[in-house]
Amino acid sequence: VIREHGIFGKHPFVFMRTPGFGDTNWTDVMSELRLAGWSGSVDIEGWHDPVYRDQLEMTGQVHALNYLKNCRGGSFVTDPQ
């Protein structure tokens, strides 16, 4: 389907879900990004999610933020050295 129509083609293939509600292993994604030297940010765009949108968008975004913090290893802790 992707080869013929692309991700956003006429045949649904990808269901955009807020991190923590879909099937992406975000712990692996964060680990691979860090191993590659990435130190940027992750943007959470809740309006893509078919469930947590409109009135539930902020609820989904807060959940996603907390979920992604856990995936990266939890809250940032300063090295005491």
Side-chain angles (χ1 to χ4, degrees):
V1 172
I2 292 175
R3 192 173 296 133
E4 288 185 35
H5 304 286
I7 293 174
F8 299 110
K10 62 182 180 178
H11 300 289
F13 180 79
V14 174
F15 297 99
M16 304 286 192
R17 294 304 315 266
T18 300
F21 295 106
D23 57 4
T24 299
N25 185 332
W26 282 96
T27 300
D28 285 351
V29 171
M30 297 294 226
S31 294
E32 290 298 322
L33 288 170
R34 286 188 165 180
L35 286 170
W38 173 82
S39 63
S41 62
V42 173
D43 296 332
I44 303 167
E45 297 180 348
W47 63 272
H48 292 291
D49 193 297
V51 177
Y52 285 89
R53 63 185 316 158
D54 301 325
Q55 294 298 318
L56 292 175
E57 183 175 354
M58 190 56 66
T59 299
Q61 287 182 336
V62 170
H63 174 78
L65 175 64
N66 292 327
Y67 173 80
L68 290 173
K69 282 182 183 179
N70 188 48
C71 290
R72 71 165 188 202
S75 297
F76 181 76
V77 178
T78 305
D79 190 350
Q81 293 182 18

